[in-house]
Amino acid sequence: MAQTARIVGKVEYRGGDGPAVEIRKGPVEVSLSDTDATLSWIDEDVHGSAAMPAGDFRRFVNEGKIKLDGPLQAET
């Protein structure tokens, strides 16, 4: 089950071996498993998504760069 959150600071992810890409600030949906976090968003007509290791996601939350709307819940 996805939960909602807001990007409020600099949050970046890497698509494979490519350069780091910053996720724009604003609302996102988060699907969290034991190993990965998938963030998705809509920016006007553009749908975006990014996957990152769960540890990186938790670090962004702990640093206050991602604000969760409710408690952190991992999918099973």
Side-chain angles (χ1 to χ4, degrees):
M1 174 183 216
Q3 66 185 104
T4 58
R6 291 189 65 76
I7 305 294
V8 296
K10 186 173 184 176
V11 175
E12 295 180 321
Y13 72 98
R14 252 182 228 292
D17 291 332
V21 177
E22 187 171 350
I23 299 173
R24 59 93 178 111
K25 292 180 179 155
V28 294
E29 283 195 354
V30 180
S31 296
L32 184 64
S33 72
D34 290 338
T35 57
D36 304 305
T38 302
L39 287 69
S40 58
W41 60 91
I42 299 173
D43 204 2
E44 295 184 14
D45 292 334
V46 177
H47 294 248
S49 67
M52 66 180 63
D56 289 352
F57 173 77
R58 287 185 179 93
R59 178 176 50 83
F60 286 128
V61 170
N62 290 337
E63 291 174 352
K65 296 177 181 179
I66 298 176
K67 299 285 185 184
L68 300 174
D69 296 335
L72 184 61
Q73 301 172 9
E75 293 184 355
T76 56

